[in-house]
Amino acid sequence: MKKIYLLLFTFIISILSFTDNVVNIYTTRHYNDVDNLIFKEFEKETGIKVNVVLQNNDANLVIQKIKSEGKLTEADVFLNVGFAELYMAKKAGILQKITDKTILNNVPTNFRDTENYYTGISYRARVIVYNPDKVKKEELSTYEDLANAKWKGRILTRSGSSSYNKHLISFMIAKNGEKKTLEWAKKLVSNFARTPQGNDRDQAVAVYDGIGDIAIMNTYYIGKLINDKDAKKSAAGKKLKIFFPNQNDGGTHINIAGAGITKYSKNRENAIKFIRFLTDKKAQEMITNMNYEYPVNPKAELNGLVKSFGTFKPSKISFDNMSKHYSKTVIITGESDWK
Ligand code: FE2
């Protein structure tokens, strides 16, 4: 009789563990094409089902949700674009330290949290793109130089309330202090070719259309434009040149997309396996080949087009340091009238 019970017990446990073979994701990322393919590939390799339980652009909302759910949260992994939000998640106490050796080996320290509460899975540079008919490479130098009166009416960038520009401003505050950054922002805004509108790609198209001569934008959008089915967008991507600012002054501002394991993850082993996969060569190459981002794992081969953008020195200012200034960016954009 005991034997039957034991068998029954083992059977129930195996059923439970089978249905439990999942990893639950809360994500703020907006790159469904590449993410879904990576999730499928992970499922195929491991048999672990990836459930996207929540997808929302508002990182604050996602972090608060995980926090309020506490021990009952379904989330195993928090996926996000932007170091400031990953830092916010760490500070909210919703993440646990990543101690897995494979993950830590996959990702160099400069692309991870100082305390390993999150790891980067890719990075991108916020660069200056220019119309080579209007601007010579030698005229470009630093983000700081964009405050120079020579750029009057020539600069395009999106809203100061966009996460990408807020990250850039955080970088500027960490580098030059709040006072100098405000002065810089005021002059930058006075050089705008138009009131900010649209996303990064729209700025590139506007440079192509002659509305301005240079734009501040993320590198991967040039890759996306070149490969866009829309003939004009593709022409804009091919026409514009990329300039990596501050190569002789601390390096170009970079941002990461990253992942963290939630503090109360119920599928912790699967979460570890998932992040191992994300940071391993195969997924890393999918990210660079489909999204034109830079892989964080140096073993991954860089996409050919991304390689053609040229090599550059990224800034070494820590994500913690920049993130601490993120809340001040609202003051900078408000006082400089960066709409
Ligand atoms: Fe983006």
Side-chain angles (χ1 to χ4, degrees):
M1 198 62 178
K2 259 187 185 169
K3 221 174 185 177
I4 292 171
Y5 275 124
L6 192 67
L7 267 173
L8 198 65
F9 180 73
T10 323
F11 178 70
I12 290 169
I13 289 294
S14 63
I15 289 277
L16 278 178
S17 59
F18 175 75
T19 52
D20 254 344
N21 208 11
V22 296
V23 60
N24 293 319
I25 314 289
Y26 283 23
T27 181
T28 68
R29 279 169 62 85
H30 53 272
Y31 314 105
N32 285 338
D33 297 356
V34 59
D35 284 12
N36 289 340
L37 265 183
I38 290 172
F39 299 166
K40 284 271 163 314
E41 201 59 36
F42 174 74
E43 286 175 355
K44 215 164 71 187
E45 266 190 29
T46 63
I48 300 165
K49 171 119 184 59
V50 180
N51 281 333
V52 177
V53 179
L54 178 69
Q55 182 179 29
N56 194 301
N57 280 340
D58 187 343
N60 222 342
L61 184 142
V62 177
I63 292 166
Q64 287 316 314
K65 184 165 164 61
I66 297 173
K67 196 175 162 89
S68 67
E69 287 169 345
K71 287 182 180 167
L72 297 174
T73 190
E74 272 188 85
D76 297 306
V77 172
F78 172 59
L79 276 183
N80 181 70
V81 174
F83 54 77
E85 291 91 353
L86 290 158
Y87 175 85
M88 223 186 284
K90 162 171 111 162
K91 286 291 162 188
I94 63 160
L95 302 177
Q96 58 175 280
K97 282 190 185 183
I98 298 168
T99 53
D100 182 69
K101 289 222 161 57
T102 309
I103 298 172
L104 301 182
N105 269 329
N106 283 346
V107 186
T109 50
N110 54 318
F111 297 127
R112 282 191 255 129
D113 173 38
T114 42
E115 301 165 287
N116 292 330
Y117 278 98
Y118 60 81
T119 175
I121 55 173
S122 63
Y123 72 100
R124 64 281 297 284
R126 198 143 182 82
V127 294
I128 301 170
V129 301
Y130 63 99
N131 180 345
D133 296 339
K134 305 266 187 71
V135 177
K136 282 198 208 81
K137 192 183 171 197
E138 295 70 40
E139 293 175 76
L140 294 158
S141 56
T142 61
Y143 299 107
E144 285 86 345
D145 178 63
L146 299 179
N148 194 313
K150 75 179 183 193
W151 298 114
K152 193 123 218 130
R154 302 170 74 190
I155 301 175
L156 286 151
T157 191
R158 69 198 295 177
S159 167
S161 66
S162 89
S163 153
Y164 298 149
N165 279 339
K166 283 164 80 176
H167 280 83
L168 174 65
I169 296 167
S170 306
F171 157 80
M172 293 300 279
I173 300 175
K175 184 170 178 285
N176 300 323
E178 201 177 336
K179 198 168 158 265
K180 276 193 179 163
T181 301
L182 177 59
E183 284 165 23
W184 168 78
K186 281 180 179 169
K187 288 179 183 160
L188 173 73
V189 170
S190 75
N191 287 339
F192 283 174
R194 65 174 180 193
T195 306
Q197 54 183 267
N199 58 27
D200 273 9
R201 273 173 278 199
D202 295 326
Q203 313 312 314
V205 173
V207 172
Y208 182 73
D209 279 342
I211 296 169
D213 297 341
I214 61 176
I216 306 170
M217 64 185 285
N218 289 347
T219 40
Y220 60 91
Y221 283 124
I222 287 293
K224 289 190 174 212
L225 279 172
I226 290 172
N227 289 288
D228 204 295
K229 286 191 188 80
D230 183 289
K232 187 179 177 183
K233 284 182 179 167
S234 161
K238 284 171 187 155
K239 170 93 188 178
L240 304 192
K241 300 268 180 258
I242 291 179
F243 182 81
F244 293 97
N246 295 62
Q247 288 304 285
N248 301 314
D249 180 26
T252 299
H253 166 58
I254 58 159
N255 202 350
I256 48 165
I261 304 170
T262 61
K263 188 175 180 180
Y264 296 115
S265 165
K266 288 174 203 69
N267 304 291
R268 186 172 173 271
E269 283 311 308
N270 288 352
I272 291 169
K273 283 181 191 159
F274 178 68
I275 297 177
R276 271 186 199 156
F277 184 82
L278 285 182
T279 55
D280 199 13
K281 196 173 183 287
K282 187 190 230 172
Q284 288 283 296
E285 289 180 353
M286 288 172 80
I287 290 172
T288 185
N289 284 326
M290 292 185 68
N291 218 33
Y292 311 105
E293 290 180 87
Y294 294 94
V296 290
N297 187 335
K299 286 194 190 109
E301 180 81 37
L302 194 59
N303 170 269
L305 178 59
V306 182
K307 211 182 261 176
S308 76
F309 296 163
T311 54
F312 72 101
K313 193 172 82 179
S315 155
K316 288 209 162 63
I317 301 175
S318 80
F319 298 132
D320 270 3
N321 187 358
M322 290 187 282
S323 299
K324 282 174 193 150
H325 301 294
Y326 196 71
S327 61
K328 296 176 199 156
T329 59
V330 197
I331 304 168
I332 303 284
T333 52
E335 289 192 18
S336 64
D337 205 22
W338 186 341
K339 293 193 168 67

